[in-house]
Every structure is written in structure tokens, then in C-alpha cells.
Amino acid sequence: MEKLTVATVLKPQGIRGELKVKALCDSAEDLKGLKRVYLSGVEYAVLSVRAQGEVGYIALKGVFDRNAAELLRGKDIEALRSDMPALPEGTYYIADLTDCEVITTGGEYIGKVVSVTPARTDIYTLETPKGQVSFAAAEGVIKEVDVGTKKITVDKKRFKEVSV
């Protein structure tokens, strides 16, 4: 069963063991449907989720006080892919984009995706033959994403305009 990293624990929230988390999905609202999550390979039942934009507040069974919550600070929260909500067309999980080859519409190889930083306009970091290159997924840059073949096709001119 494939797991996706969906949030990172920022800090304890209050004295009852609630966790303040940074959502690594489009919104912390996406975490609301989860019934179970995993931290360091340990399964926890989700008692409640509150969302405020990118930030969420999660209560987990077995994390009853601030001290227990403090032990989870900085840990990644994972969920089973099958437990996550269906994605709208044209959106992808970061895990699906990582390791994709990036090529131009003319078939020229640029590099491989090593990370995607979620933002208003996502930032893709590639490993290229000349080192790392980052680019914003601004309008007109990405022409096609095929996670099945692990290929992302970009417009060469627009790519050069937005890459650093």
C-alpha cells in the first residue's frame, strides 16, 4: 500500500495533544477525510481535523497531552494514497511528479524532477547535466504531464523565461 506525505508536524497546539501541521496538499481541508495517518511508520487513528488554509490542527488517538505531541514535532505525516480524496483533473501528487523526466516539446531532455515546492505557482527543481535548475510552473510552461510514463513536457521558450 503506497503512502503519501501529506503534512509536517510544526508544533503542539494547546495542552490536549493536538498538533499544528503544515499541509503538503493544496489545502489542509484535504486532510479532513482521513481516518488514519502514519508517523514514523506508526499508525494513528485521526480523532479530529480543523483547517485554516495551509495549516491544520489534528488530534490523534494516543497523543493525549502536550508532552506526547512535542515528541512528534518535525515529523512527516503520511496517509495511504487510497485514503486521500480524488484529485481534480490536471492536478497531481508531488510523489507522482518526483523522478519524472522533463523534456521540451521538441523532445530535448532537460532533466529529472527532484522536488516540487507547493506555492501559489509551484516551484519544480530539476537535476540536469549542468546541475540543479528550478522553474515556476507559470502559465504556458508545462504543456503535458504523463505520470504513467514519468514525462513532463515543457515549452522551451517559456521554460527559459522562468527557470533559474
Side-chain angles (χ1 to χ4, degrees), residues 81 87 90-101 113 124 144-153:
R81 180 186 287 268
L87 292 174
T91 59
Y92 308 91
Y93 288 115
I94 290 172
D96 294 334
L97 300 173
T98 304
D99 291 330
C100 281
E101 288 187 353
V113 177
Y124 288 61
E144 183 182 358
V145 175
D146 185 343
V147 295
T149 62
K150 300 293 273 179
K151 289 200 185 315
I152 298 173
T153 306

Side-chain angles (χ1 to χ4, degrees), residues 18 31-32 34 45-50 57-61:
E18 190 174 45
L31 304 175
K32 284 188 168 183
L34 296 175
V46 176
L47 300 176
S48 67
V49 177
R50 296 183 292 126
Y57 301 93
I58 298 179
L60 302 176
K61 186 173 184 176

